[in-house]
Amino acid sequence: MASVTLKVESRGKPIKALPKEIQVSPDAFAQEVYSRLATASKFDIHRLRITKSSDRGVVPNAKDTTVNDAGLQDQSVIQVKDLGPQIGWRTVFIIEYLGPLLIPALFLFPLRQNIYYNFDQPLPNPSDSQLLVCALLSVHFLKREFETIFIHRFSNATMPARNIFKNSAHYWLLAGFNIAYWVFRPDAAAATDSPNENLVYAGLGLFVFSELANLNAHLVLRNLRRAGTTERGIPSGFGFGLVTCPNYLFEILAWVGVYLVSGLSWSVLFFIAVGGGQMAIWAAKKERRYRKEFGDKYKRKSFVMVPGIF
């Protein structure tokens, strides 16, 4: 089949060494267009975004979409944008979760004397409830790291490198420093030797159930996408009949478990509120995307995250 000629323009900041045009086969994968332009410009392939000049539609950097499928024809004009320095999504997630994985144990043990210097000395040993909260936080973020490395498949390979600070701040500050400082204080509700056993056992049970259910939801989502592709499927299974994003629902319930074990610490509740608000936005967007992408094949959900509420 005869090749097609694509006209190439920079979008935004000019890209040096970008060719004026390239020739590709209409049956070639769209990823070849990215590869050719990345090689010519000496940029990483993930640093470029290619759009069609005709409708500003994004040309996917994918192995399962051909040049013809992307709507590119002979003499089509494509615009190439430099997205700036990039960092892998997987790397971002690993860094995000590393802070709240390490900070609680640091607060509770080696840094305890320095952080709570203004309390009567010597400080009492951490209570069993405080040790349990620390263990739950460690389990939660170890699970997150495991999922990041072995389970998650990302639709986008990278994000702007500058976003690492914004993304990490949420977890390092709110789940790390915020929760650790207030829950592990010598005068915290969790510092008592006589905790409310109903809260502790209910919280522990809810945490274990929710973490396992959340893991199952992530496995379902992983199996919807073949490795190396951007294709999506309609999720089904435990929780997906109730809400659009049961992974978010079980994430919140797990944190409610931590909240109960902590003796109802406001710091944990604050983290739940902030994180829950962000997840609600993502869940609503995902429901709209499912409806648009799958049409009548998709069974629309009345609630995107919390049954009967939202």
Side-chain angles (χ1 to χ4, degrees):
M1 183 177 292
S3 62
V4 297
T5 298
L6 303 178
K7 303 292 186 180
V8 182
E9 299 176 351
S10 292
R11 183 178 179 186
K13 183 180 179 181
I15 301 174
K16 294 181 179 180
L18 195 67
K20 299 296 183 182
E21 61 182 38
I22 60 171
Q23 291 184 326
V24 294
S25 168
D27 289 336
F29 291 124
Q31 189 176 71
E32 182 177 330
V33 179
Y34 278 85
S35 181
R36 296 269 297 276
L37 295 177
T39 300
S41 62
K42 297 182 173 56
F43 278 175
D44 182 83
I45 192 172
H46 299 297
R47 183 166 172 162
L48 304 178
R49 175 185 292 154
I50 302 175
T51 56
K52 294 176 289 184
S53 178
S54 57
D55 60 5
R56 297 294 176 89
V58 175
V59 177
N61 180 10
K63 296 179 180 179
D64 55 352
T65 302
T66 66
V67 170
N68 187 58
D69 292 338
L72 297 174
Q73 303 173 349
D74 190 43
Q75 301 301 312
S76 289
V77 179
I78 57 175
Q79 297 179 323
V80 185
K81 181 177 179 61
D82 174 14
L83 299 176
Q86 300 288 296
I87 186 171
W89 273 90
R90 200 177 306 276
T91 301
V92 171
F93 276 33
I94 290 172
I95 294 173
E96 282 182 3
Y97 304 144
L98 185 61
L101 173 61
L102 300 177
I103 291 170
L106 291 174
F107 270 55
L108 200 58
F109 299 110
L111 300 182
R112 182 173 173 79
Q113 297 293 331
N114 303 98
I115 293 171
Y116 303 115
Y117 66 90
N118 54 328
F119 285 85
D120 292 339
Q121 303 294 324
L123 293 175
N125 292 327
S127 70
D128 289 342
S129 293
Q130 289 175 319
L131 293 173
L132 181 56
V133 170
C134 185
L136 296 185
L137 294 175
S138 298
V139 168
H140 178 78
F141 287 107
L142 277 173
K143 169 180 167 291
R144 283 288 193 92
E145 297 284 30
F146 172 82
E147 292 170 338
T148 297
I149 297 171
F150 298 107
I151 295 179
H152 292 328
R153 288 175 177 161
F154 301 94
S155 56
N156 296 314
T158 64
M159 69 164 66
R162 63 181 179 275
N163 286 359
I164 185 65
F165 302 103
K166 177 184 67 176
N167 288 33
S168 296
H170 171 74
Y171 287 103
W172 284 59
L173 296 179
L174 295 186
F177 293 109
N178 169 58
I179 291 177
Y181 177 79
W182 294 105
V183 174
F184 300 153
R185 280 169 60 101
D187 60 351
T192 179
D193 292 327
S194 302
N196 185 319
E197 292 186 354
N198 292 329
L199 288 180
V200 172
Y201 289 127
L204 185 58
L206 184 60
F207 178 86
V208 172
F209 163 78
S210 300
E211 290 289 340
L212 293 175
N214 177 265
L215 175 61
N216 176 72
H218 286 159
L219 290 171
V220 169
L221 294 172
R222 168 192 169 86
N223 292 332
L224 294 178
R225 176 180 296 150
R226 290 186 292 111
T229 71
T230 58
E231 67 180 10
R232 296 186 180 96
I234 300 175
S236 62
F238 183 71
F240 286 95
L242 292 175
V243 293
T244 309
C245 299
N247 49 318
Y248 296 158
L249 169 63
F250 297 132
E251 174 81 7
I252 291 174
L253 291 178
W255 280 103
V256 171
V258 176
Y259 172 63
L260 296 178
V261 174
S262 73
L264 310 182
S265 172
W266 69 268
S267 61
V268 181
L269 189 62
F270 180 67
F271 177 73
I272 294 173
V274 174
Q278 181 60 70
M279 285 187 283
I281 294 173
W282 292 336
K285 287 182 178 179
K286 186 162 290 190
E287 174 67 18
R288 291 195 295 269
R289 193 189 75 205
Y290 284 159
R291 294 182 182 185
K292 180 180 179 180
E293 186 172 352
F294 300 112
D296 294 338
K297 295 180 181 180
Y298 175 68
K299 184 178 179 181
R300 299 188 172 198
K301 305 297 189 302
S302 299
F303 305 100
V304 298
M305 194 170 71
V306 181
I309 298 176
F310 179 77

